[in-house]
Amino acid sequence: MTTLAKLLAQKQQLLDRLQADPGPHEREEIERLLAEIDEALRLLDEARPGTSGEEE
């Protein structure tokens, strides 16, 4: 499984947990983890060749 696939799977699991209406502390932790995953996905996207936005 690629890093991208792992991050997307983790993100989906966290989003599913949010749907279960967690308590405030758990919600805060889930949102923090989602922010970390989003940042990692952004960095992966920037590192891919040909995605610098110059192809428009």
Side-chain angles (χ1 to χ4, degrees):
M1 184 180 264
T2 66
T3 300
L4 177 61
K6 288 178 184 177
L7 288 169
L8 292 173
Q10 288 176 342
K11 184 173 182 174
Q12 186 58 54
Q13 288 175 341
L14 291 169
L15 291 171
D16 291 344
R17 284 174 56 190
L18 275 181
Q19 294 294 320
D21 197 27
H25 296 293
E26 186 178 1
R27 176 176 292 276
E28 188 175 298
E29 177 68 8
I30 291 169
E31 289 173 350
R32 183 187 66 76
L33 292 169
L34 283 170
E36 288 181 10
I37 290 171
D38 285 341
E39 177 66 10
L41 289 170
R42 185 187 67 75
L43 291 172
L44 275 177
D45 188 51
E46 287 180 0
R48 284 193 349 225
T51 60
S52 64
E54 296 174 6
E55 297 178 13
E56 294 181 35

